[in-house]
Amino acid sequence: MVHKAVIPVAGLGTRLLPLTRALPKEMLPIGDKPVIEHTIRELVDSGIDEITIVTSPRKDLIQRHFAPDADLELQLRAAGKDDLADAVAELSSLAHITYLYQNGPYGNGTPVLNAARVIGDEPFMVLWADDVFVAEVPRAKQLKAAYEATGAPVLALMPMAVEDASRYGVPVVKEDLGGGRLLISGLVEKPSPEQAPSRYAAIGGYVVTPGVVEELQEQTRRWHENPKGEIYLTDALHRHAAGHPVYGQVIDGTWWDTGSPLNYLKAQFAAALAHPVFGPELRELARESG
Ligand code: G1P
């Protein structure tokens, strides 16, 4: 079973500058919630509420968003605003969140390794916090089910246009097992369209096992011999796949990658139109504006 998840957020968010100069990209709203709250609710809805956020001192707003605030709650209740007080209380009791500062060589494998030291010898989920999924069964639950069926590392995949290959990790598919499950024999980070080994993108959701963590440790040991090296989860999964089964799970749902200016605005627009209360009026506005 997978009970724990890691969300690395220490990145600088350079693709969204200057918007992300002071505001962490994970705190940008999608609809009426910051991106990271969507990710945490997705995990909780999937039965995972032990969450490690690997962060940096510049991103303390994330901690503040989920922190308890007894004064605020008291003031809201005194003013008769119990709905708002309940919303603030709910946010701080949503999940058991632990924060760690990222420490180590550059690259997205380092926060995974930092968290693994605390989590210990068990599989855990890793989600980047710049994707939002709208799905009947949450993406994390689909990934968890794939791990439970295979007992091996799993990557969340979506079909992609081959022109987009250079933005993603692209899996080498060995066998299509049906039901969106693929046996993977490797993973190529950001290949050119000509070199893309498949038409699937790894979309920032993984179940990582102790074997993958060992690969990350090995990379880190070698990094000391080569201080220019970077530590990437993709490389660890690629090397693990050479000698062990690794699976891909094509996710059933809609994916909003919020990590670039255009995609962020698209996600924001779609979420506004789909808002359960304000959606109809906003759709009307969109129609009127042509
Ligand atoms: C990272 C991963 C890449 C993956 C992508 C998904 O890249 O390295 O394999 O496809 O996330 O969003 P980044 O977006 O950090 O450049």
Side-chain angles (χ1 to χ4, degrees):
M1 286 288 272
V2 182
H3 302 288
K4 296 180 181 171
V6 176
I7 308 177
V9 301
L12 296 174
T14 45
R15 274 182 294 188
L16 288 163
L17 279 170
L19 179 59
T20 48
R21 177 66 191 89
L23 188 63
K25 67 174 179 175
E26 297 78 11
M27 287 303 293
L28 295 174
I30 298 290
D32 53 11
K33 296 179 187 65
V35 181
I36 191 158
E37 190 183 325
H38 286 279
T39 309
I40 288 187
R41 287 186 185 276
E42 176 189 342
L43 285 165
V44 171
D45 290 345
S46 305
I48 299 178
D49 69 349
E50 293 280 337
I51 299 169
T52 303
I53 295 183
V54 186
T55 186
S56 89
R58 336 170 168 253
K59 295 208 165 172
D60 62 329
L61 271 184
I62 295 175
Q63 260 146 289
R64 279 159 58 189
H65 186 66
F66 295 104
D69 191 337
D71 284 350
L72 176 61
E73 256 185 70
L74 223 59
Q75 283 188 36
L76 289 168
R77 293 206 195 279
K81 295 179 178 165
D82 282 312
D83 290 3
L84 294 178
D86 290 347
V88 170
E90 192 253 353
L91 203 51
S92 63
S93 56
L94 201 53
H96 303 283
I97 306 178
T98 308
Y99 298 89
L100 290 181
Y101 283 142
Q102 179 164 328
N103 192 357
Y106 187 81
N108 65 25
T110 289
V112 178
L113 208 45
N114 292 159
R117 286 180 74 93
V118 178
I119 291 176
D121 208 20
E122 62 176 285
F124 56 89
M125 193 168 292
V126 178
L127 296 183
W128 308 145
D130 52 11
D131 294 314
V132 173
F133 279 84
V134 183
E136 217 163 282
V137 178
R139 164 211 32 190
K141 198 167 188 177
Q142 296 180 46
L143 260 182
K144 196 173 145 184
Y147 172 77
E148 277 156 17
T150 61
V154 186
L155 351 162
L157 301 175
M158 285 296 266
M160 63 160 189
V162 74
E163 309 84 83
D164 292 336
S166 59
R167 291 167 44 202
Y168 300 109
V170 179
V172 184
V173 178
K174 196 168 171 192
E175 199 183 336
D176 187 336
L177 303 164
R181 192 156 305 153
L182 307 169
L183 182 62
I184 300 300
S185 60
L187 191 60
V188 184
E189 184 68 357
K190 306 195 172 109
S192 65
E194 300 71 41
Q195 285 173 337
S198 69
R199 299 285 176 100
Y200 292 103
I203 46 162
Y206 313 81
V207 176
V208 166
T209 59
V212 176
V213 171
E214 272 168 36
E215 289 290 353
L216 287 170
Q217 284 162 340
E218 180 57 23
Q219 273 186 63
T220 309
R221 275 193 286 276
R222 286 205 313 270
W223 176 86
H224 288 296
E225 292 154 25
N226 170 20
K228 283 200 175 142
E230 297 176 352
I231 311 295
Y232 281 104
L233 185 56
T234 298
D235 294 340
L237 286 162
H238 177 71
R239 270 206 306 277
H240 189 77
H244 307 85
V246 171
Y247 294 88
Q249 181 65 44
V250 181
I251 301 297
D252 194 4
T254 307
W255 166 36
W256 299 111
D257 164 6
T258 67
S260 73
L262 176 62
N263 287 340
Y264 169 63
L265 290 175
K266 282 185 185 171
Q268 183 61 297
F269 189 52
L273 298 185
H275 192 283
V277 178
F278 307 125
E281 200 172 328
L282 294 169
R283 286 196 289 277
E284 187 58 35
L285 177 69
R287 262 192 300 274
E288 280 168 16
S289 332

